[in-house]
Amino acid sequence: AAAVRLRVPPGTRHRPPRPPPPLVEGRAGPPPGVVDAGVGGRAQVPRRRRSFGRQPVRWRRRGRRRRQVVQAPRLARPAGLPPAADGDLGRGPREGQGFVREPRRGVLQLDVSRPARRRPGGGDRRGMQQEWIRGDLDGDGGVFGTPKGAGGANKGGAMSPMCAMNTPRTRARRQAVPRADSASGDGGNSPGEARVREAMDELDRRLSIGSPGAVDVVEDHDDEEEMIDVSITNDREGNDANFRIDDDDDGGGGEDPPSGVVGGIPPPPLCKPDGNRVRNDRPPSCPDTDEEENLLLLDEVRKDVIRTHPDLRFFLEPADNLGQKRYAALERILFVWAKLNKGVRYVQGMNEIVGTLYFVLAQDSDESWSRHAEADTYFLFNALMVEIRDVFMAELDEADTGIHGRISNMITLLSLHDPEVRCHLDEVGIDPSFYSVRWLTTLLSREFLLPDTVRLWDSMFASTHKDNFLRYVSVTMVMVIRDRLLAGDFSACLRLLQAYPPPDLDMLLESSRALWIYESQVTLACHKGGISLGHALRSIPPPPSIVMAYGLHAGRAPPVSRQVREAGERLGRSSAAGASSVASAGRSMLGSAMSFLRGNSRE
Amino acid sequence: MSNRATASTTKPPLYKVVMLGDSGVGKTSLVARLTNPNAPLNHDISATMGIEFDTQMLDTPHGKVKAQIWDTAGQERFARVLLPTYFRKAKGVILVYDVTSAKSFDSLGERWMAQLHDHANSDELAKLLVGNKCDLEDSREVTKEKAEMFCNEHGMEHLETSAKSGANVLKAFERLITIRARRRAWRSGGASPPRAGALGAGATR
C-alpha cells in the first residue's frame, strides 16, 4: 500500500483502493471507515446496501465515482466558451461554463442528495437561490412590510417581480402564458398572483388613489418622435404577467376616474402623504402621526426628483403638464418605497435609477403597457433594490456588500489586473471613492448618455450577479482609459473619471466579460490548482478581447511583433524613469505584472 | 532655494476649498457660476453624488491662486461616507445655506458645524458662511441679522449670494482666499488671530 501511495501525484489526495469489505454474517454493510460521514446524505448508503445486498457492484460503482472525482480540475476551457448571443454578460463564467459545476469532492454528492435546494419550477441557479434566501431572511426587504399582510404575502410580493427580472426561465414561462389568461379573471388562482394583486392594492391605497388607472400618466405617443431618439430594447415579454394582473383587475373600475382625478390634483404635489381620502384605510405600519416626518421626506424626495435627468425632453414636456406629471410619478414611487423600507429610506441616487426605469417603461409603444409604467417601475425598482440596497444603508458601510466593501472589492480587482493604473491613481491622490461612489449608487446611469445606459442596464439585468457585473464593468471602464489616466495628474484623472468620455459600449461590455472570465480562471487556478497568484497570471493567457495592462488594447490583440516592442518599451521606460516608483509601490501585484511583461518580451 | 522661488512664481498656490451645506441649497450652482460666469445658469444640474471637483484660477489681491473646489453632496448619507476625505489638506470651507429655507440654515448649526469640528482642525480652516438664492427676496426665511449672529458665534464671515443672478459669487470665493491669506499672515507674524467679532466687523467694513 505504501508503494501505491508514493506513486500518487501530490495534490490529488487519492486514496489507495481498499480491499472489498469482509462479509459479515447477516450484515452486508461496508466497513465503518468507508462511509464518508463528511458528505451530506451519504449516511443512507449502508441502509440501501443492506436492502440490495449486492456488495461487489456497489463497491465498484463507488470506486468509479471516486476516480472521477479525483481527476484534476479542467481549467483550460476558455477557448470553447460559447459567446453570448448579444455580447452581454448574462452568463458569467461561473454559470454553466463547467467551472464551478466541476465535480468537486463532496459537492457532487451534496447536490444529488439534497434536491430540495433546487427551486421547483425555476432553474438551478445558485444566484437565484441566494437571492431568494436573502430576500426571505430580511424582514423589511419585502415590498410591503405591513403587519397587515401575512408573511407569505410579503414574500410573494417581494419576490415575484424579481424573478420577473432575473430569470430567463421565468420569463419564458410567462411568455407562454397568453395574455388573455389573466384577462379572463382567473388571475387569482395562483397564490403568487393573488399576493401580487394584494400588494398592488396595497400600493394603490398608499398612493392615495382609487385605481392605478387614475394616476398613471397616459403617454401620448405622438410625442415620441420629438423626444430624444433612443433605441430602447424594451423586452416587453420581460414585463411579467404579474404586472398585467392589475390591469385586468381594475380594468372595469379603473377606466372611469382618470380624467377627473388627474385633473383634480395639481401636478407637483400629487403625492399627498396626509391626504384625507386615505386616512381611514391607512395600514397601522404607516401611522398618520409622523406627518412632519412625511413632509420632510417628501421635501427631500422632491428636491431630487425635479433634478432627475433635467436635460431630458421626456421630463420637461410642457404639453398638458406631462413632464410635471412624470416627475410626480417618480416622486410617488420614491416616497412610497422610502416609507415601506424605513431602514433604507430615501438616498440620493435612487431618483436616477427610478427615472431611467420610468423613462423606458413609460415610452413603451404599446399603450396598454405604458399606461401602467408607474406600477411597473415601482416593482422593478423594488426588485432591484433587494440586490443593491446594502449600498444605500449606512449601517452596512463596512460590510462586504456595503459601499465601502464594494469599492474595496473593485479596487482589489483593479490592482490585480491593472496595477499600474491603480498605483498611479494612488500616487496622484485619487481616492477610489471619489468616482466609484457615484458609479455604484446610480448603477452607472450618470456616466453615459441615456441610450448607452439603457443598453448597459439590459446586460446588467440579464446578468445573474449584478454586483459582479458592476464591478467588472467599473474596472474595465478604468482600464479602457488607462493611457489617458497614466498621462494625467490629479485633476486630469479626476475629470476623466467623473466625466467619463463616451465609450464604445459594446467593446466595454465585451471586454468586461472577458475580464470576468479571465478572473474566474485565475481565481480557480489559485484555489483549486493550488498555485500562486503570480503563477496563475503568468500561465493563463488573458483572452484576446480583454483590455489590460498587458499590451492588449481596445478589445483587439495587436500583432505579436508590436506586443513585443511595446512590452520592451514599457520595460525600458519603467526601468529608467519609474523604477523608483515601482520600488516604492512595493506591491506584489505590480511585481507579478512586471514579471509577466518580462515573459512577454522574451518570447 | 531658487527652485522653490521659481515654482512659486510660475505655479500659483493651490487652495482646496470645500463646499458644505444641505442638499439643494445651490452648492453646485455656485461652483458652476464661478467657473462659467457668463453662461446662463441652466437648470440641468443633477443632484451631486458623492463628490465633484472643479478648479478655477482666481485673481485675488493676494495674488493668483488656483482654487480646487470640492463640491460635496448634501445628503447626510454621502457626507458620512466621504467626510473623512473631504477635509484632508483643505484650506477653506464655504458653508452654504438657502435664504429661503430656514431648515437649511438650522442644519448648519446642528449638523455641519459639528461634523466640521469632528473631522477637521476647525481653527486651521478659513470659513465663510454663504446664504444663497438671495434673489428670492420675497420668500426669504433667514434674515441677515440671524446669519450675522451665527457668524459671530462661530468666527466666520457672512455673505449673501445668488447663483442665479451671479451676485457676489466671485466675491465669496475671493473673500475666502483673503481670510485664509490674512490668517497665514497673522500666524507667521506670531500674533494670534483677532477675535471672530473683530474679524467680521473688519471684513464687512
Side-chain angles (χ1 to χ4, degrees):
Chain A
V4 174
R5 206 172 286 134
L6 277 181
R7 252 182 267 130
V8 173
T12 50
R13 291 190 285 163
H14 181 73
R15 276 190 279 172
R18 290 164 191 270
L23 264 177
V24 184
E25 272 290 320
R27 183 176 176 270
V34 172
V35 178
D36 190 355
V39 177
R42 293 298 292 174
Q44 292 173 352
V45 171
R47 214 178 303 141
R48 278 168 66 198
R49 283 187 64 197
R50 196 174 351 174
S51 64
F52 281 124
R54 293 177 57 192
Q55 247 156 323
V57 178
R58 238 1 250 189
W59 192 232
R60 234 186 297 136
R61 281 180 58 195
R62 217 186 119 91
R64 199 186 309 142
R65 180 183 289 181
R66 190 191 282 158
R67 232 175 289 130
Q68 189 183 27
V69 168
V70 155
Q71 279 171 3
R74 281 173 284 154
L75 287 179
R77 286 184 54 194
L81 292 183
D86 56 348
D88 67 34
L89 285 166
R91 296 182 69 209
R94 296 189 176 280
E95 290 290 344
Q97 306 282 14
F99 292 104
V100 168
R101 296 262 170 238
E102 205 63 37
R104 218 168 59 189
R105 263 181 84 84
V107 168
L108 184 69
Q109 290 156 352
L110 195 72
D111 268 358
V112 172
S113 63
R114 292 173 67 185
R117 276 182 64 101
R118 301 184 173 215
R119 287 185 49 227
D124 51 354
R125 302 187 154 213
R126 282 282 158 89
M128 273 306 291
Q129 283 170 7
Q130 280 163 4
E131 284 152 11
W132 274 65
I133 291 161
R134 235 176 90 197
D136 269 341
L137 284 181
D138 35 36
D140 71 328
V143 181
F144 294 108
T146 83
K148 207 174 105 192
N154 289 350
K155 280 175 210 153
M159 289 309 135
S160 350
M162 177 162 56
C163 39
M165 260 178 33
N166 277 345
T167 53
R169 282 185 203 214
T170 8
R171 191 180 297 162
R173 237 184 326 153
R174 270 198 204 96
Q175 279 173 19
V177 177
R179 203 182 151 79
D181 270 6
S182 40
S184 62
D186 61 349
N189 53 6
S190 122
E193 292 178 350
R195 281 179 204 145
V196 170
R197 189 180 324 154
E198 192 179 304
M200 287 299 300
D201 292 345
E202 186 75 39
L203 176 66
D204 295 345
R205 229 172 294 133
R206 294 188 182 200
L207 282 170
S208 332
I209 49 159
S211 74
V215 277
D216 276 336
V217 177
V218 180
E219 296 302 325
D220 187 357
H221 292 286
D222 296 340
D223 297 339
E224 266 190 357
E225 278 78 42
E226 299 172 38
M227 294 172 186
I228 293 178
D229 184 26
V230 180
S231 63
I232 305 161
T233 45
N234 195 350
D235 179 7
R236 195 166 309 135
E237 293 82 3
N239 296 344
D240 58 330
N242 288 339
F243 292 157
R244 269 189 258 132
I245 298 165
D246 79 293
D247 309 0
D248 308 312
D249 268 357
D250 301 315
E255 300 299 341
D256 40 335
S259 55
V261 175
V262 169
I265 300 176
L270 260 181
C271 184
K272 283 188 184 172
D274 51 347
N276 287 333
R277 283 175 46 214
V278 283
R279 184 161 290 186
N280 289 335
D281 50 1
R282 187 177 287 264
S285 75
C286 191
D288 218 359
T289 50
D290 50 9
E291 275 187 36
E292 194 181 335
E293 198 210 311
N294 283 350
L295 286 176
L296 276 180
L297 174 63
L298 189 59
D299 188 45
E300 203 176 326
V301 170
R302 184 170 300 164
K303 230 185 274 174
D304 290 337
V305 161
I306 56 171
R307 301 190 273 175
T308 309
H309 293 302
D311 49 346
L312 212 59
R313 177 84 195 271
F314 178 74
F315 287 118
L316 299 176
E317 187 62 52
D320 198 22
N321 261 341
L322 207 51
Q324 291 283 308
K325 286 177 188 168
R326 284 163 177 158
Y327 271 147
L330 297 194
E331 185 179 289
R332 283 190 296 268
I333 293 167
L334 288 166
F335 180 81
V336 171
W337 197 88
K339 288 305 283 182
L340 294 178
N341 295 271
K342 292 194 173 169
V344 191
R345 211 161 166 271
Y346 167 74
V347 180
Q348 286 180 332
M350 293 179 180
N351 59 329
E352 306 279 339
I353 297 173
V354 170
T356 310
L357 287 175
Y358 188 72
F359 172 81
V360 172
L361 293 175
Q363 298 202 89
D364 198 305
S365 55
D366 185 344
E367 199 202 308
S368 58
W369 292 86
S370 63
R371 276 178 69 226
H372 300 280
E374 185 176 335
D376 289 358
T377 307
Y378 179 88
F379 281 103
L380 282 176
F381 175 65
N382 186 69
L384 193 59
M385 286 308 285
V386 170
E387 280 191 59
I388 61 167
R389 181 182 45 195
D390 293 358
V391 168
F392 294 100
M393 294 174 72
E395 298 80 43
L396 295 174
D397 267 356
E398 302 305 326
D400 198 38
T401 49
I403 184 101
H404 285 314
R406 289 194 191 201
I407 289 176
S408 71
N409 284 347
M410 188 196 125
I411 288 307
T412 311
L413 190 65
L414 179 65
S415 38
L416 182 63
H417 292 290
D418 202 343
E420 204 182 344
V421 165
R422 190 248 148 105
C423 290
H424 178 73
L425 290 181
D426 273 0
E427 269 166 30
V428 297
I430 294 181
D431 192 279
S433 60
F434 292 169
Y435 54 95
S436 54
V437 164
R438 193 173 78 189
W439 289 7
L440 293 176
T441 47
T442 60
L443 300 179
L444 295 172
S445 62
R446 280 270 285 271
E447 313 311 316
F448 311 117
L449 294 174
L450 198 59
D452 284 346
T453 305
V454 172
R455 168 70 189 87
L456 183 81
W457 280 21
D458 270 346
S459 290
M460 183 175 68
F461 290 150
S463 169
T464 47
H465 220 106
K466 295 172 190 49
D467 182 18
N468 279 354
F469 179 90
L470 268 184
R471 185 162 73 243
Y472 287 102
V473 171
S474 307
V475 168
T476 309
M477 278 169 66
V478 177
M479 298 199 316
V480 163
I481 55 170
R482 66 186 306 274
D483 292 340
R484 279 188 271 180
L485 284 177
L486 288 174
D489 59 350
F490 175 85
S491 52
C493 285
L494 212 55
R495 196 162 298 135
L496 272 173
L497 290 166
Q498 289 201 335
Y500 195 78
D504 176 355
L505 203 71
D506 286 332
M507 189 272 286
L508 187 73
L509 287 171
E510 185 53 39
S511 65
S512 81
R513 179 168 169 274
L515 178 67
W516 193 339
I517 293 172
Y518 182 59
E519 158 75 9
S520 311
Q521 290 173 344
V522 168
T523 316
L524 206 74
C526 291
H527 286 189
K528 285 179 125 184
I531 59 177
S532 77
L533 187 67
H535 186 88
L537 281 171
R538 252 172 286 140
S539 54
I540 303 177
S545 59
I546 204 164
V547 177
M548 299 194 58
Y550 310 133
L552 306 176
H553 185 67
R556 258 165 254 101
V560 178
S561 57
R562 212 178 109 206
Q563 274 185 52
V564 170
R565 199 179 61 236
E566 280 180 2
E569 278 168 10
R570 201 169 297 148
L571 255 185
R573 197 177 64 206
S574 65
S575 61
S580 62
S581 74
V582 168
S584 71
R587 281 170 221 281
S588 60
M589 302 289 184
L590 192 61
S592 68
M594 294 309 293
S595 54
F596 184 86
L597 272 181
R598 269 181 213 113
N600 253 8
S601 62
R602 230 179 271 131
E603 62 185 43
Chain B
M1 205 55 195
S2 63
N3 231 353
R4 199 187 295 165
T6 50
S8 69
T9 48
T10 53
K11 217 173 172 187
L14 189 73
Y15 275 69
K16 175 174 165 185
V17 178
V18 183
M19 313 281 295
L20 289 184
D22 267 14
S23 163
V25 296
K27 297 180 292 297
T28 310
S29 301
L30 278 176
V31 177
R33 176 57 86 177
L34 175 77
T35 53
N36 240 339
N38 297 322
L41 192 69
N42 46 6
H43 293 274
D44 57 356
I45 293 181
S46 293
T48 307
M49 311 284 311
I51 199 164
E52 277 168 24
F53 296 79
D54 228 319
T55 49
Q56 176 70 20
M57 294 297 293
L58 290 176
D59 218 350
T60 67
H62 302 272
K64 268 195 168 191
V65 295
K66 189 177 179 187
Q68 182 187 71
I69 303 159
W70 291 42
D71 180 21
T72 66
Q75 212 187 24
E76 195 167 2
R77 172 77 186 88
F78 290 106
R80 208 175 301 173
V81 174
L82 290 166
L83 256 180
T85 55
Y86 281 178
F87 300 115
R88 203 180 297 149
K89 292 188 194 162
K91 300 204 172 155
V93 175
I94 295 185
L95 290 146
V96 189
Y97 69 92
D98 178 357
V99 297
T100 65
S101 152
K103 186 178 153 271
S104 75
F105 183 75
D106 293 340
S107 79
L108 281 182
E110 292 161 10
R111 213 179 106 199
W112 291 111
M113 286 310 287
Q115 296 196 324
L116 199 58
H117 285 294
D118 283 353
H119 293 279
N121 187 353
S122 181
D123 296 334
E124 292 277 325
L125 289 170
K127 283 171 286 183
L128 180 69
L129 183 70
V130 164
N132 196 22
K133 310 192 188 176
C134 72
D135 53 308
L136 302 171
E137 198 56 54
D138 295 341
S139 44
R140 176 187 280 273
E141 284 184 14
V142 185
T143 61
K144 259 185 190 167
E145 291 72 33
K146 204 172 159 192
E148 296 281 353
M149 265 173 60
F150 183 81
C151 283
N152 285 344
E153 217 174 287
H154 292 277
M156 288 188 281
E157 292 187 33
H158 178 239
L159 207 62
E160 287 199 346
T161 62
S162 166
K164 194 176 177 186
S165 70
N168 274 349
V169 174
L170 185 61
K171 202 174 158 193
F173 285 91
E174 285 179 354
R175 175 78 64 82
L176 189 78
I177 306 295
T178 311
I179 297 171
R180 170 78 191 178
R182 221 181 302 159
R183 273 190 191 212
R184 287 268 299 262
W186 280 320
R187 184 148 306 137
S188 57
S192 61
R195 282 188 47 77
L199 182 73
T204 36
R205 251 165 265 170

